[in-house]
């Protein structure tokens, strides 16, 4: 199945802010705990303190870091984090002045909080998706969304959207093939023959039985 099965909305919100976070999402993902406050406040400049904290919340919410464009964050997120740190939110615009800083913060957060690369968690994700195929009738879009949630909850960093979409489609096809084979082999030969005959269109008729 081609990766085009994803909706435009799924692609738009993959690993980025497609809409303004709700108040509940701000509390859930961007409320700094004691450890995060300490690590953020250890940075020298206000902009880097604020940027570090935003990166911390972003990976918790989306499973990825905004290293390519670290300031592509809604103003409501910046204000929410800035208030906790006692920093003017306009200082956030300075965060992208040195591109390497965002990467250094991402590496630190990854190590401090135990995030793994996609390759390290791929086998576990495949097992999870295979079990979903066998126990549900979910289509590829629903499975893709479940894969994203699994990655975020298990602290596995998101791969490119095409990589994940192709993997989900491949696992679904493989497991459906196994499921169909198991069902086919479980049916006695005589019954299987009778069922196949039901698909034949009788003479002078337009549909099968």
């Amino acid at each position: 199945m081609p990766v085009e099965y994803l909706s435009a909305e799924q692609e738009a919100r993959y690993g980025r802010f497609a809409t303004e976070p709700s108040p509940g999402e701000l509390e859930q993902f961007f409320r700094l705990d004691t450890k995060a406050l300490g690590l953020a406040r250890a940075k020298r400049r206000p902009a880097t303190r604020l940027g570090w904290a935003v990166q911390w919340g972003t990976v918790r919410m989306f499973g990825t870091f905004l290293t390519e464009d670290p300031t592509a964050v809604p103003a409501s997120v910046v204000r929410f984090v800035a208030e906790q740190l006692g920093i003017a939110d306009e200082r956030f615009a300075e965060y992208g002045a040195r591109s390497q800083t965002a990467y250094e913060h991402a590496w630190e957060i990854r190590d401090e909080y135990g995030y793994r690369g996609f390759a390290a968690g791929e086998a576990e994700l495949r097992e999870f998706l295979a079990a979903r195929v066998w126990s549900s009738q979910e289509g590829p879009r629903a499975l893709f969304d479940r894969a994203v949630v699994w990655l975020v909850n298990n602290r596995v960093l998101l791969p490119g959207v095409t990589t994940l979409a192709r993997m989900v489609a491949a696992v679904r096809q493989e497991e459906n093939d196994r499921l169909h084979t198991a069902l086919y082999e479980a049916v006695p030969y005589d019954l299987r023959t009778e069922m196949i005959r039901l698909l034949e269109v009788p003479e002078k008729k337009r549909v099968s039985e």
Side-chain angles (χ1 to χ4, degrees):
M1 178 178 293
V3 298
E4 288 77 11
Y5 68 80
L6 293 181
S7 68
E9 189 266 341
Q10 283 179 303
E11 291 192 66
R13 61 178 163 80
Y14 185 78
R16 65 173 72 95
F17 293 95
T19 59
E20 287 279 342
S22 67
E25 288 173 330
L26 290 174
E27 284 289 342
Q28 180 180 357
F29 300 111
F30 292 92
R31 174 63 66 184
L32 298 165
D33 58 22
T34 302
K35 179 179 179 179
L37 276 170
L39 290 170
R41 287 171 174 164
K43 310 306 173 194
R44 288 192 305 166
R45 298 171 56 246
T48 52
R49 289 181 214 139
L50 185 51
W52 186 97
V54 169
Q55 290 270 34
W56 173 82
T58 300
V59 75
R60 280 160 48 85
M61 184 172 183
F62 297 117
T64 190
F65 297 100
L66 300 180
T67 48
E68 294 297 322
D69 190 3
T71 58
V73 179
S76 60
V77 172
V78 178
R79 284 195 302 271
F80 186 80
V81 176
E83 288 174 1
Q84 298 174 67
L85 294 171
I87 298 171
D89 54 358
E90 55 265 25
R91 300 299 298 270
F92 186 64
E94 305 169 19
Y95 184 54
R98 178 177 176 269
S99 60
Q100 187 66 13
T101 300
Y103 288 95
E104 291 170 353
H105 288 174
W107 299 332
E108 179 185 359
I109 294 167
R110 180 196 61 193
D111 294 342
E112 287 285 347
Y113 288 89
Y115 282 91
R116 297 179 287 163
F118 180 69
E122 183 176 0
E124 295 171 52
L125 176 59
R126 283 181 173 272
E127 290 181 8
F128 168 78
L129 291 173
R132 291 300 310 178
V133 173
W134 280 75
S135 63
S136 73
Q137 295 183 340
E138 292 170 331
R141 289 184 179 182
L143 284 174
F144 180 86
D145 285 341
R146 284 195 179 276
V148 172
V149 172
W150 187 93
L151 290 168
V152 172
N153 289 343
N154 288 274
R155 297 189 180 182
V156 178
L157 298 175
L158 265 61
V161 63
T162 301
T163 297
L164 184 59
R166 285 177 175 166
M167 194 206 81
V168 169
V171 171
R172 183 171 181 267
Q173 183 64 56
E174 291 165 6
E175 297 308 319
N176 273 328
D177 289 345
R178 289 193 181 97
L179 178 59
H180 295 160
T181 299
L183 289 172
Y184 180 83
E185 293 175 348
V187 177
Y189 176 79
D190 291 343
L191 177 58
R192 189 189 308 159
T193 302
E194 290 300 316
M195 293 174 69
I196 291 174
R197 285 176 181 168
L198 292 175
L199 299 175
E200 297 175 358
V201 180
E203 196 173 339
K204 296 183 180 180
K205 290 191 177 182
R206 300 181 62 183
V207 295
S208 68
E209 292 296 325

